[in-house]
Amino acid sequence: TTMGTLKHGNQISPIWSALDSVDPFASGMGGNATNMFNDGGKRMSNTINYSHSLGPVAGQVAYGFGEVPGSVNDGRTIGAAVKGTFGPVYTTVAYHSTDTGSDQARTFLVGGTVDVTSGLKAHGAVADNKGLNNHDTRDYMLGVSAKATDVDTFLGSVIRKQDRSVANNDATQYAVGWTHHLSPRTNLYTSYAHINYDAQPKDRLVMVGIRHKF
């Protein structure tokens, strides 16, 4: 067995990887969960990241140095995630925190997917967020991905953000999409997302494109 993998520099945050793994829209599509969920800014700068796997379970921890003169905490970021696959069930737990020196924002995420039948997968996630200046929120996602053919998949999700601060500005996102695989790493896609805010104008986003994963 190996001793794991150690990386440093500008690294993907563990919570982004965890959210991306349970989001039916994954990264780069109009309905993706990062519109509503905290993804830790996707990347962490000045980071040491250690990951290791043992059978069906894998985990990683990450520490990002703030590099603010005179302060150990100011700008510091900490992330961690554990994931596991057990038959038709995949689950992940992740944590992310950011320090400002005088305050701290943190997110705790639990998510997973279930292969309901061949080609039909259910997706779900819950995140509890403690924001700066007591701006606390909680996020919920339910989604589905369904294969219509070997290369065509339809996607859908609903995300609810509960604003637990005085502002109480809740929001709900509805999203639908479709992907058509040209190869294992290249696909055509289209998606539509509609976000209703309690105290702001509505947002709509339509995306059509081609995506290649390197």
Side-chain angles (χ1 to χ4, degrees), residues 128-175:
D128 186 77
N129 310 288
K130 178 188 179 298
L132 300 177
N133 301 313
N134 296 316
H135 190 180
D136 300 344
T137 60
R138 188 167 291 165
D139 306 319
Y140 305 88
M141 180 195 74
L142 287 176
V144 64
S145 56
K147 280 192 171 184
T149 69
D150 289 340
V151 294
D152 294 286
T153 303
F154 291 96
L155 314 169
S157 71
V158 178
I159 299 175
R160 177 66 174 172
K161 176 177 285 293
Q162 290 185 345
D163 188 342
R164 301 163 72 85
S165 69
V166 175
N168 195 30
N169 185 22
D170 296 345
T172 306
Q173 173 180 283
Y174 304 94

Side-chain angles (χ1 to χ4, degrees), residues 37 70 72 77 89 97 101 108 110 114 127 129 142 168 175 181 196 203:
F37 280 71
V72 175
T77 55
V89 178
S97 70
F108 182 74
V110 178
V114 179
N129 310 288
L142 287 176
N168 195 30
H181 286 274
N196 290 329
D203 279 340

Side-chain angles (χ1 to χ4, degrees), residues 33-178:
T34 60
N35 292 341
M36 308 285 276
F37 280 71
N38 174 29
D39 65 352
K42 186 174 181 178
R43 288 188 175 272
M44 297 170 57
S45 300
N46 310 310
T47 299
I48 296 175
N49 181 299
Y50 174 75
S51 60
H52 188 56
S53 61
L54 184 63
V57 178
Q60 61 174 312
V61 292
Y63 185 96
F65 296 89
E67 296 192 348
V68 176
S71 175
V72 175
N73 296 333
D74 199 355
R76 176 184 65 180
T77 55
I78 298 172
V82 178
K83 61 182 180 180
T85 302
F86 309 95
V89 178
Y90 166 85
T91 186
T92 184
V93 177
Y95 172 84
H96 185 86
S97 70
T98 303
D99 283 290
T100 66
S102 60
D103 201 355
Q104 182 189 67
R106 63 108 182 104
T107 295
F108 182 74
L109 169 79
V110 178
T113 64
V114 179
D115 293 324
V116 180
T117 61
S118 178
L120 179 63
K121 181 178 292 187
H123 305 247
V126 178
D128 186 77
N129 310 288
K130 178 188 179 298
L132 300 177
N133 301 313
N134 296 316
H135 190 180
D136 300 344
T137 60
R138 188 167 291 165
D139 306 319
Y140 305 88
M141 180 195 74
L142 287 176
V144 64
S145 56
K147 280 192 171 184
T149 69
D150 289 340
V151 294
D152 294 286
T153 303
F154 291 96
L155 314 169
S157 71
V158 178
I159 299 175
R160 177 66 174 172
K161 176 177 285 293
Q162 290 185 345
D163 188 342
R164 301 163 72 85
S165 69
V166 175
N168 195 30
N169 185 22
D170 296 345
T172 306
Q173 173 180 283
Y174 304 94
V176 293
W178 164 80

